[in-house]
Amino acid sequence: MFKLEERKDEYQKICDLLRHHSYKLTPQRQTILKAFLEHEDQHLSAEDTFMMVKHNYPDIGLATVYRTLDLLAELGILQKNDFGDGRSRYEFNRQDEHHHHHLICVQCGEVSEFDEDLLESLEAQIEKRNGYHVIDHDLKFYGYCEKCKSALD
């Protein structure tokens, strides 16, 4: 269950940001936002999110979930990712954290993160050699997770 006490400040900041941009804080948006706070370590698709929230808010529609996720991504609250499986996945956009990258299992579809960022020195070289100012990068590795790799052996 969502422990608002533990995440109250973060939840309130997001609610304030929505209001600041003249968006209503509807019960559907609150429910979706709470689902992401409860599962912040996951990369949720609209369908995943819908399945999580429909039992708490049975009248919510999949289209509402899609619109809300796109809105939260547009406002920079969520980051929208494409892991090549035909579904967009969302996660909190942690601008104050070190950039992380993704490991994607081609067999089971599991997505995990790793924080080692060896690209910072490459970005500096690119800027120095080419005069190109890099503002972001995205790195994904595709392969087999430990479980699927073991099953192949």
Side-chain angles (χ1 to χ4, degrees):
M1 192 64 198
F2 178 65
K3 297 174 185 168
L4 188 56
E5 302 79 38
E6 294 176 14
R7 309 300 303 275
K8 188 176 181 180
D9 290 342
E10 187 171 7
Y11 178 76
Q12 194 56 52
K13 284 179 187 177
I14 295 169
C15 293
D16 292 344
L17 182 63
L18 284 166
R19 288 186 195 104
H20 175 74
H21 287 279
S22 301
Y23 291 105
K24 293 180 182 177
L25 193 58
T26 64
Q28 296 95 327
R29 288 178 181 157
Q30 290 178 34
T31 301
I32 291 168
L33 182 55
K34 288 176 184 179
F36 271 87
L37 288 168
E38 290 171 358
H39 300 92
E40 70 176 324
D41 60 333
Q42 297 180 22
H43 301 84
L44 303 175
S45 69
E47 293 81 4
D48 296 333
T49 307
F50 176 71
M51 296 305 289
M52 287 178 183
V53 300
K54 74 175 190 170
H55 68 278
N56 288 336
Y57 203 89
D59 294 338
I60 198 166
L62 184 57
T64 299
V65 173
Y66 271 105
R67 283 192 303 271
T68 301
L69 295 178
D70 284 341
L71 170 65
L72 295 173
E74 182 182 317
L75 293 174
I77 297 165
L78 297 179
Q79 180 179 337
K80 187 175 184 177
N81 296 297
D82 178 4
F83 296 134
D85 62 356
R87 300 185 312 166
S88 294
R89 307 278 182 103
Y90 299 83
E91 65 182 322
F92 273 110
N93 190 8
R94 307 270 187 213
Q95 295 176 349
D96 58 330
E97 286 185 4
H98 185 71
H99 198 83
H100 68 267
H101 304 291
H102 297 97
L103 304 170
I104 302 143
C105 181
V106 296
Q107 184 154 334
C108 71
E110 177 187 354
V111 177
S112 56
E113 298 176 354
F114 70 99
D115 292 326
E116 199 65 36
D117 194 354
L118 304 174
L119 295 179
E120 289 177 352
S121 60
L122 178 60
E123 285 181 3
Q125 287 180 0
I126 289 170
E127 188 159 348
K128 184 177 179 181
R129 290 182 184 168
N130 302 322
Y132 191 87
H133 178 68
V134 177
I135 59 169
D136 197 11
H137 64 265
D138 184 27
L139 184 61
K140 300 171 196 158
F141 289 96
Y142 296 89
Y144 296 96
C145 67
E146 274 190 66
K147 186 175 83 176
C148 292
K149 189 176 100 178
S150 295
L152 293 173
D153 294 338

